[in-house]
Amino acid sequence: MQERLVELKTEALEKVAQAEDAKALQDVKVQYLGKKGPITEVLRGMGKLPKEERPVIGQMANDVREEISTAIDEKQTKMEEAALEKQLQEETIDVTLPGRPAQTGGPHLLTSLIEEIEDLFIGMGFEIAEGPEVEVDYYNFEALNLPKGHPARDMQDSFYITEEMLMRTHTSPVQARTMEQHKGKGPVKVICPGKVYRRDTDDATHSHQFTQIEGLLVDKHVRMSDLKGVLNAFAKQMFGEEREIRLRPSFFPFTEPSVEMDISCKMCGGEGCSVCKGTGWIEILGAGMVHPNVLEMAGYDPNEYTGFAFGMGPERIAMLKYGIDDIRHFYTNDVRFLNQFHKA
């Protein structure tokens, strides 16, 4: 058996030396060190040996196995080093070549515009308030002077989830929740940006999902002139110092009196053109003094507190500011469109 073990070791080491790739090396390992290999057979046949020879043959068999295994590992390491060296030579990179610039993204146009509007109002002392997009009927309608069955609800065709829960149709519920949290004490001075949802048919000027920014100021002695001053500062900051504003009477259930705000057309300077339909003015947002019923439902005494509110659509602001003719461009993820406003 000793001669057989020496012979096996010699054969195995020769085949390890002759192996040219990983497969050939693995074949040698399986042939000599596997469960059905000759060294294993030698170990199994030790039971036929005299007791005094068994330890000697066992030790020798283990030494042969260890020597073959070590030779295989060393050969494998050399193969891997040679393969790596070959790969490095074949895939040499010229580090003196200029790198390829990586394309970088940026905030979406609407995101940038909303942040710009937020910064503008934060500079006036407003805070940012947010609320749930899945809203209960009470905050979306009833707390805003729109009880069940009120005809003005038809102005906002809604996505109802249950009879008492829906996708919010405006960010006004955030105003109602904020006033309620203040428990009848002022001042309250917030803007409420976020997504809103209505059952509109998508076209160039309508979308079933869009964004809104609404503002609210409630305190003692708040007047309509305060509202006009804030809106005038907003218009000049957003559209240019030369812009003029005008307020037209309108109707909203949650404000009284209510107004629509127009800005002078920047295309014609107020002279009248196709953009402003010959009027010289472009409608930009709705506003008004907070309705006494809304104040009362939020816990305020309307004889002591007054306030104003306004609401605008960032999509409309962006369309007017950048001359965009279709609201759907904001949501179709066309990189050709978005790249035009990467640095806007």
Side-chain angles (χ1 to χ4, degrees), residues 175 214-217 227 231 254-255 286-290 307-311:
Q175 299 180 13
E214 299 194 13
L216 172 72
L217 191 155
L227 169 62
L231 296 183
F254 28 81
T255 53
M289 301 302 291
V290 180
F308 64 71
F310 56 86

Side-chain angles (χ1 to χ4, degrees), residues 135-174 176-177 197-199 253-255 291 293-294 297:
E135 189 56 274
V136 294
D137 184 273
Y138 174 78
Y139 287 111
N140 198 81
F141 291 123
E142 294 183 44
L144 301 172
N145 203 33
L146 283 160
K148 293 185 186 299
H150 195 289
R153 288 199 182 202
D154 294 338
M155 297 165 59
Q156 301 181 26
D157 205 4
S158 312
F159 289 109
Y160 272 90
I161 299 171
T162 68
E163 290 186 1
E164 295 297 328
M165 189 172 292
L166 71 158
M167 304 299 293
R168 67 182 181 189
T169 59
H170 44 194
T171 57
S172 301
V174 183
R177 288 176 177 272
Y197 307 85
R198 297 183 188 176
R199 290 177 58 188
F254 28 81
T255 53
H291 199 290
N293 290 349
V294 174
M297 282 186 284

Side-chain angles (χ1 to χ4, degrees), residues 1-15 31-32 37-42 64 68:
M1 279 194 177
Q2 290 180 345
E3 294 175 357
R4 175 61 175 156
L5 286 171
V6 171
E7 182 181 339
L8 290 173
K9 182 179 75 171
T10 303
E11 289 178 5
L13 294 178
E14 287 179 359
K15 290 187 177 181
Q31 180 181 351
Y32 288 94
I39 296 177
T40 303
E41 290 180 2
V42 169
V64 169
I68 295 172

Side-chain angles (χ1 to χ4, degrees), residues 267-324:
M267 302 301 294
C268 63
E271 297 295 325
C273 65
S274 60
V275 174
C276 60
K277 299 179 181 178
T279 66
W281 298 93
I282 298 175
E283 180 184 323
I284 195 71
L285 57 81
M289 301 302 291
V290 180
H291 199 290
N293 290 349
V294 174
L295 290 170
E296 197 167 358
M297 282 186 284
Y300 288 85
D301 181 356
N303 295 317
E304 184 179 2
Y305 284 94
T306 54
F308 64 71
F310 56 86
M312 68 188 78
E315 286 90 347
R316 179 163 178 76
I317 302 290
M319 291 172 77
L320 292 173
K321 187 172 183 178
Y322 298 112
I324 298 167

